């Protein structure tokens, strides 16, 4: 449920028909764009961005050109909303160590060998090899999906995220290993 701010209530006019576009981003942020034509013929756009809890992050409305089609106004509003979201999110470095990604080792002999005392260089070498193996597996899985004629969007997103994390992990481990 969205908790509207003051700008929304200033925008509201039940006498004018409107068209809307709703979107939920991957991080749960909700985008709402509404377009209408005023009595004077001016296309007006409302852009609302709401957090995962429903509270307004940003609300604004704009007067566009006279005679502009509502489809173009909705498209412009959605792009404006994405720009606002991008400006309000904190920067995440692409080379940051991915703590959520790690190779799962089930072989007891491999685990025992890894638990033995090793030098830091040997640990980094093993982490580098693991990162390379995970990258190769993620790349191969993505290539299989790319060759498929039909792919479920959630499967595509999962494989894309796996490949991104594998690349990030490989880069960060390599940077530490090559020092």
């Amino acid at each position: 449920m969205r908790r509207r701010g003051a700008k929304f209530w200033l925008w509201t006019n039940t006498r004018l028909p409107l068209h809307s576009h709703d979107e939920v981003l991957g991080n749960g942020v909700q985008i709402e764009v509404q377009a209408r034509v005023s009595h004077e013929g001016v296309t007006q756009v409302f852009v609302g961005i709401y957090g995962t809890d429903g509270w307004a992050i940003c609300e604004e409305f704009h007067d566009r050109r006279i005679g502009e089609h509502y489809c173009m106004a909705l498209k412009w509003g959605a792009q404006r909303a994405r720009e606002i979201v991008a400006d309000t999110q904190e920067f995440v470095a692409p080379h940051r160590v991915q703590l959520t990604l790690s190779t799962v080792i089930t072989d007891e002999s491999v685990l025992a060998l890894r638990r033995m005392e090793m030098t830091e260089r040997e640990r980094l070498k093993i982490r580098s090899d693991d990162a390379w193996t995970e990258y190769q597996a993620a790349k191969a899985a993505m290539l299989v999906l790319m060759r498929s004629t039909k792919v479920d969007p959630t499967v595509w997103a999962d494989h894309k995220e796996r490949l991104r994390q594998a690349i990030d992990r490989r880069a960060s481990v390599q940077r530490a290993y090559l020092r």
Side-chain angles (χ1 to χ4, degrees):
M1 177 178 206
R2 294 185 181 136
R3 295 185 171 89
R4 307 292 191 173
K7 296 256 177 137
F8 176 81
W9 298 113
L10 288 172
W11 157 263
T12 303
N13 184 345
T14 57
R15 294 181 190 171
L16 296 175
L18 59 88
H19 304 276
S20 63
H21 167 79
D22 292 314
E23 188 176 339
V24 179
L25 301 179
N27 59 1
V29 172
Q30 302 171 28
I31 293 175
E32 177 184 23
V33 181
Q34 296 180 0
R36 67 182 182 203
V37 177
S38 70
H39 294 296
E40 295 80 27
V42 176
T43 303
Q44 300 172 328
V45 179
F46 170 80
V47 177
I49 302 166
Y50 304 92
T52 55
D53 56 0
W55 286 98
I57 295 173
C58 177
E59 292 180 333
E60 59 186 35
F61 53 89
H62 303 274
D63 286 343
R64 301 287 290 162
R65 294 181 291 275
I66 293 177
E68 181 178 21
H69 197 268
Y70 73 89
C71 289
M72 294 303 294
L74 286 174
K75 189 175 182 180
W76 177 87
Q79 182 61 35
R80 173 75 180 132
R82 288 187 202 97
E83 290 170 2
I84 293 169
V85 169
D87 288 345
T88 59
Q89 289 181 337
E90 60 187 43
F91 174 74
V92 177
H95 59 277
R96 198 164 97 187
V97 177
Q98 299 293 319
L99 300 176
T100 59
L101 177 70
S102 109
T103 309
V104 178
I105 301 170
T106 55
D107 187 7
E108 287 298 322
S109 60
V110 174
L111 283 172
L113 287 172
R114 293 205 177 177
R115 289 185 187 124
M116 291 177 12
E117 290 190 24
M118 332 179 214
T119 66
E120 183 63 27
R121 186 86 175 150
E122 290 170 330
R123 270 193 209 97
L124 285 173
K125 172 71 172 131
I126 289 173
R127 286 179 59 206
S128 176
D129 291 344
D130 288 347
W132 175 253
T133 304
E134 174 59 24
Y135 166 71
Q136 292 287 25
K139 183 175 84 171
M142 187 56 109
L143 287 172
V144 168
L145 279 181
M146 291 171 75
R147 292 182 183 119
S148 300
T149 56
K150 190 173 183 181
V151 178
D152 182 29
T154 56
V155 172
W156 178 266
D158 291 345
H159 279 69
K160 181 179 169 185
E161 181 63 20
R162 177 184 176 199
L163 182 60
R164 187 192 65 76
Q165 286 187 3
I167 291 168
D168 289 349
R169 181 168 183 244
R170 176 150 165 69
S172 69
V173 169
Q174 282 297 104
R175 194 171 289 118
Y177 179 67
L178 295 175
R179 282 189 214 165

